[in-house]
Amino acid sequence: MAWTENPGSTVGGAVGSVFGAVEKGAQAGISAAAIGQAQHAAQGLKDAASSGQIRITEKGFNILMDALNKCEDLLLVLRENIDTITQAPKLGSSPYAKTVAAHVQKGGTGLPNSADAVYRQFQDVLDTTREALNQAKKSYENNEQDNARVLK
């Protein structure tokens, strides 16, 4: 099915579910379930595009890639903030201060649900969605070329 600029179409709905899952995750404090839902939606879109079930026009592709690029820009701002929290705070030189600083730092990096890990998971969702859109565009172009050959 080719995607047009109709937001109710298959690709638009699939990408919308990816973005919706990401938004839910951001609003809910980034739960593991929300990240899983976003990853599942992105992978489903990629699988459908890879099997030729989804095709997208150049215009539709550009619209959705623009949305992905905006998400990427927001993710880069988040990355800058994460870089700050992944550094151990300077709380003093006592053993207790060092223990607390190390504990605070673990929240930013090193744990499965750390800010750094969540950032990487969201980056993976965007990358998977981007791959899916590229494949859907390629499928559309191949279909158009096939149709042109038949009409010659």
Side-chain angles (χ1 to χ4, degrees):
M1 165 173 260
W3 187 76
T4 63
E5 292 68 51
N6 177 359
S9 69
T10 304
V11 176
V15 173
S17 69
V18 172
F19 290 143
V22 170
E23 181 179 16
K24 276 185 191 176
Q27 291 173 350
I30 318 293
S31 71
I35 291 171
Q37 184 180 5
Q39 289 170 328
H40 181 73
Q43 189 60 52
L45 180 63
K46 183 179 176 184
D47 292 345
S50 295
S51 67
Q53 296 176 34
I54 297 175
R55 295 183 294 264
I56 187 169
T57 65
E58 180 78 25
K59 185 173 181 182
F61 174 82
N62 290 337
I63 290 168
L64 293 173
M65 288 303 275
D66 184 52
L68 276 177
N69 291 337
K70 288 177 183 174
C71 288
E72 188 90 39
D73 290 344
L74 294 173
L75 205 56
L76 288 173
V77 170
L78 180 62
R79 175 78 251 167
E80 292 171 7
N81 293 328
I82 289 171
D83 287 342
T84 300
I85 64 170
T86 58
Q87 299 171 18
K90 295 179 182 10
L91 301 176
S93 59
S94 72
Y96 178 74
K98 290 179 181 180
T99 300
V100 171
H103 178 73
V104 169
Q105 186 180 21
K106 283 183 185 177
T109 187
L111 298 174
N113 291 329
S114 68
D116 189 52
V118 170
Y119 166 83
R120 285 192 310 271
Q121 291 169 339
F122 275 131
Q123 183 64 57
D124 289 345
V125 168
L126 291 179
D127 292 345
T128 302
T129 303
R130 192 177 305 277
E131 290 171 20
L133 292 176
N134 281 316
Q135 182 60 49
K137 179 183 172 201
K138 183 178 175 182
S139 293
Y140 178 82
E141 291 167 348
N142 289 342
N143 187 60
E144 289 296 302
Q145 289 172 359
D146 290 345
N147 288 341
R149 277 192 286 268
V150 168
L151 294 175
K152 284 185 178 181

